[in-house]
Amino acid sequence: MAHSSKISQSSVLVAESSPIVIANIKILLREIGFSDRLIHIAKDVRSIVSLAKKTRIDTIICDYHFDERRNGKQIIEELRENNFIQMSCSIVMLTADTSGGVVKSILDLDPDEYLVKPYSLFELKRRVARTYKRKQEMSHLYQLSKNATVKEIQQAFDSALDLMPDYTGHIHRLKGYTLVKRGDYAAAARHYHQCLRKQPRHWAICGLAESLIALNELDQAESMIQSWLSSGKTKTPKIYELLAMISARKGDLAGVHEQLTQAVDLTKGAHETLLARAVVNEMLLMPEKAIKDYQSYMHQSVTTFKDGLLLPITMLRLKLMVVESNRKANLEKIRNEALSLAKTEFREEERLALMLVQLHIDVLEEDHKGIRSKLTQLIKNYQTLGAAYTGYLMYLLHLTHNYQLFDKLYKRYEKGVKKHHDLLSICTHRWIEQLNDRRKERYASLKRVEKYISRQKNTNQSSTIGIALELARSRQLCQRSASTFINLADEIGCGDASLAELRNVITSGEKVMVYGMELTALERKEALHSLKRIKVMFNQRVAACA
């Protein structure tokens, strides 16, 4: 495919702030054949995004350290995330920083070319021309229809290999990527196996492992990666992320954390790895460490497309988890932060996410009325929430002992969830599954106590009333625990429970009976009638002691 006739009609975006570098790049671009009128210069991020939105960009030349707020990797990620550039757009990254973190960060982005300053203009010209030519001649492969059959894809790539033998490696790599994107994981795995037999390449081992993970061939994927590492091949963040995905699928949280730490240590820059490790830290009940990961992510995401109100809202959620384990933590300060955020103009997802934080505060303050009001709204609108915030809602249902609501929401979530193949989604899904396991354990424990009380109440009244009292006291937001004590006390009396204990349980029990959502209307009505009789008995005891 001839590209020389097209090059004068192709658009180039140069993301660079140095006037001297810009002038030199413009000269070599004209020498390659690009038209001066289609060479666009952007000196700030807003200009880059604006140009990419309205103009088809065929080549991007970007300085990694574009400005103090955003690096080249973050810029390209934003353009790709929002589909502002096509796959056939060639990416050339420039950098003066040779530190391992930056180099691995650039490799993680997977540009077509990258050059370290100082570089010769001749070399830059050669690299830009080479990658542009390759991308243009392979453009028909990038544009293969999603409806194409595996046979049609095979024929297209076989034909390209015959016509463009110089691009063999690139064609094989793109073929594997195309099959994975289409979800043809078995075909992708066969292809990557063939590529590895010919030459061990990093992209091939990663593609094979990703395909095997999607096929749930976890042991085989792990064995392939470990063999790669033991042979002294390149260790990259991607390799450890894949190992983390395998551990997550197996339910090995310690393994997930270990592999994610390896990935984080290898590179820098905003990355889903930090978010995934934050989720794992939550699962391991280490909210302070989750906060540190999230703070790092937030710091690296400031001014990028990942920045937004959901970041500080999630930070508040993590801070509230710390309050749960340390009541000395400053709940008042967190409440004020939430009130400050509430003054901002919200999208619907952000409004509901903030309501979850406010509900969490109500839970910690045992504000039964507030809990019922917010839960009612959130359950009605839960489909607007993303997976992470659906998980947060389930977490709060778990804290408030709303077993039936949790079960209904989890079944809806399971029914609507798609199979996850990216790291963050797998970790988030595992977190929600863990919440469901914890909910089952807590509910099973409650049922065991209820059965024991039912069996023993006529033979060992003192013991059973003590157990029921402790159950209600330890689960003050649990409507079922409160009703168990209330119904038992109404039936056999309060035994020798102290007035102080009874007063606390009666007071909290009345609130949870009125505002709780776990019992049926009839069960609640009967429990409230029993509670009235218990209050009469309590007042009689108080009068007798006066």
Side-chain angles (χ1 to χ4, degrees):
M1 181 184 296
H3 74 283
S4 56
S5 60
K6 284 188 174 184
I7 196 165
S8 62
Q9 302 167 31
S10 297
S11 182
V12 186
L13 172 59
V14 181
E16 173 64 66
S17 56
S18 168
I20 296 175
V21 174
I22 290 171
N24 287 330
I25 290 176
K26 288 184 75 173
I27 290 170
L28 68 87
L29 287 173
R30 284 194 289 266
E31 289 176 354
I32 292 171
F34 290 99
S35 170
D36 195 53
R37 66 184 178 83
L38 294 178
I39 299 174
H40 305 284
I41 307 300
K43 297 182 180 181
D44 58 73
V45 176
R46 183 178 295 179
S47 299
I48 294 173
V49 174
S50 176
L51 279 166
K53 276 183 180 180
K54 64 184 181 183
T55 307
R56 177 194 165 96
I57 303 296
D58 298 295
T59 297
I60 296 177
I61 302 173
C62 183
D63 185 357
Y64 181 83
H65 292 291
F66 182 70
D67 63 26
E68 293 180 355
R69 297 183 303 167
R70 220 180 294 194
N71 62 44
K73 178 187 176 185
Q74 293 168 329
I75 291 167
I76 301 302
E77 282 178 341
E78 178 169 356
L79 297 180
R80 286 175 173 172
E81 179 74 16
N82 291 288
N83 295 316
F84 292 154
I85 54 175
Q86 299 186 21
M87 283 184 61
S88 56
C89 175
S90 57
I91 310 293
V92 179
M93 190 68 69
L94 311 177
T95 181
D97 193 337
T98 58
S99 63
V102 168
V103 171
K104 287 185 172 69
S105 180
I106 292 173
L107 291 175
D108 193 45
L109 175 69
D110 194 24
D112 297 289
E113 296 282 358
Y114 82 94
L115 287 88
V116 177
K117 299 176 183 178
Y119 49 77
S120 70
L121 290 179
F122 172 79
E123 182 62 15
L124 176 58
K125 177 181 176 179
R126 186 179 74 83
R127 299 273 194 98
V128 171
R130 181 175 66 183
T131 187
Y132 171 81
K133 178 184 177 184
R134 182 180 73 247
K135 281 293 186 80
Q136 290 302 309
E137 293 188 354
M138 289 175 57
S139 61
H140 63 295
L141 297 177
Y142 289 106
Q143 295 164 11
L144 274 174
S145 169
K146 291 182 179 179
N147 297 321
T149 65
V150 174
K151 184 177 180 181
E152 289 169 339
I153 290 173
Q154 185 69 48
Q155 290 173 342
F157 279 94
D158 285 347
S159 176
L161 287 168
D162 291 337
L163 294 172
M164 299 177 283
D166 291 344
Y167 302 151
T168 296
H170 297 284
I171 293 170
H172 280 309
R173 185 174 184 177
L174 180 57
K175 179 181 178 180
Y177 176 85
T178 302
L179 291 170
V180 167
K181 279 294 181 183
R182 286 169 47 89
D184 296 322
Y185 299 111
R190 290 193 296 272
H191 172 70
Y192 284 123
H193 264 301
Q194 292 170 359
C195 292
L196 282 170
R197 279 199 292 268
K198 293 177 182 177
Q199 189 173 7
R201 292 290 184 88
H202 176 264
W203 56 263
I205 190 66
C206 289
L208 175 58
E210 187 177 353
S211 302
L212 291 172
I213 291 169
L215 293 168
N216 211 34
E217 299 288 345
L218 303 181
D219 290 338
Q220 187 179 353
E222 186 173 22
S223 175
M224 297 287 293
I225 295 175
Q226 293 296 355
S227 176
W228 173 272
L229 291 174
S230 63
S231 64
K233 299 291 195 308
T234 306
K235 297 178 180 179
T236 67
K238 181 66 175 177
I239 289 289
Y240 288 107
E241 287 167 15
L242 288 165
L243 285 173
M245 289 169 70
I246 293 168
S247 294
R249 285 280 179 89
K250 291 182 175 182
D252 176 12
L253 293 183
V256 179
H257 194 275
E258 179 184 351
Q259 304 302 342
L260 291 179
T261 298
Q262 294 269 27
V264 169
D265 290 345
L266 276 175
T267 189
K268 64 181 181 179
H271 201 281
E272 282 191 343
T273 311
L274 279 169
L275 293 184
R277 193 170 70 174
V279 173
V280 173
N281 278 323
E282 282 190 65
M283 286 192 280
L284 293 171
L285 303 180
M286 297 189 295
E288 292 93 344
K289 290 187 176 181
I291 286 174
K292 287 182 180 179
D293 281 341
Y294 211 78
Q295 283 174 330
S296 297
Y297 179 82
M298 285 180 68
H299 175 72
Q300 294 160 7
S301 299
V302 172
T303 76
T304 73
F305 73 102
K306 297 177 181 179
D307 194 5
L309 287 170
L310 290 178
L311 297 184
I313 289 172
T314 299
M315 182 61 76
L316 289 180
R317 171 172 67 84
L318 294 171
K319 288 179 181 178
L320 288 168
M321 289 185 68
V322 174
V323 174
E324 289 173 32
S325 57
N326 178 15
R327 292 289 178 167
K328 293 180 181 179
N330 196 337
L331 183 57
E332 182 67 26
K333 183 179 178 182
I334 299 173
R335 187 193 297 105
N336 290 337
E337 288 182 49
L339 288 172
S340 178
L341 282 177
K343 298 174 183 178
T344 312
E345 187 174 340
F346 287 104
R347 292 181 289 110
E348 181 65 6
E349 182 187 10
E350 293 166 339
R351 183 185 71 81
L352 292 172
L354 184 59
M355 187 182 293
L356 282 165
V357 168
Q358 293 165 334
L359 169 60
H360 201 162
I361 293 171
D362 287 346
V363 170
L364 294 174
E365 294 181 332
E366 297 183 6
D367 178 357
H368 299 274
K369 185 177 181 180
I371 292 170
R372 182 183 178 89
S373 172
K374 293 180 180 67
L375 270 182
T376 300
Q377 294 182 61
L378 287 161
I379 291 295
K380 286 180 180 177
N381 298 286
Y382 86 94
Q383 289 178 316
T384 307
L385 298 167
Y389 289 96
T390 297
Y392 188 19
L393 176 55
M394 291 182 189
Y395 176 74
L396 294 173
L397 288 171
H398 172 72
L399 285 187
T400 52
H401 303 269
N402 280 289
Y403 305 107
Q404 294 177 31
L405 281 174
F406 186 111
D407 191 44
K408 287 180 182 178
L409 187 58
Y410 183 76
K411 286 177 179 176
R412 291 176 190 170
Y413 164 78
E414 269 199 319
K415 188 176 181 180
V417 76
K418 296 178 180 178
K419 197 167 185 180
H420 300 298
H421 300 298
D422 65 280
L423 176 62
L424 181 58
S425 294
I426 289 173
C427 288
T428 301
H429 183 60
R430 179 62 65 188
W431 174 51
I432 292 174
E433 286 184 324
Q434 186 195 61
L435 284 174
N436 187 47
D437 291 340
R438 288 165 63 189
R439 189 268 310 175
K440 286 179 180 178
E441 290 173 9
R442 177 180 276 185
Y443 187 61
S445 173
L446 175 62
K447 296 297 288 182
R448 285 195 298 271
V449 174
E450 287 178 339
K451 285 182 180 179
Y452 176 83
I453 290 172
S454 179
R455 288 196 308 267
Q456 299 292 322
K457 64 182 180 181
N458 294 322
T459 59
N460 195 346
Q461 293 184 351
S462 178
S463 173
T464 52
I465 198 67
I467 291 171
L469 182 66
E470 179 57 32
L471 181 68
R473 188 168 50 196
S474 63
R475 304 188 182 200
Q476 292 193 6
L477 295 175
C478 179
Q479 203 176 26
R480 290 185 65 95
S481 297
S483 68
T484 297
F485 170 75
I486 290 167
N487 292 331
L488 181 66
D490 185 33
E491 183 178 349
I492 68 173
C494 296
D496 57 358
S498 72
L499 289 175
E501 288 177 323
L502 287 174
R503 182 182 290 107
N504 290 335
V505 172
I506 289 171
T507 301
S508 63
E510 185 169 26
K511 290 178 182 176
V512 79
M513 280 299 110
V514 172
Y515 296 111
M517 303 172 69
E518 180 70 9
L519 302 181
T520 65
L522 179 59
E523 287 172 330
R524 178 164 56 186
K525 183 178 178 181
E526 290 175 347
L528 285 171
H529 281 309
S530 294
L531 185 60
K532 283 183 181 180
R533 291 189 287 270
I534 293 171
K535 288 169 76 175
V536 170
M537 286 190 290
F538 173 78
N539 289 332
Q540 288 172 348
R541 280 187 60 181
V542 170
C545 294

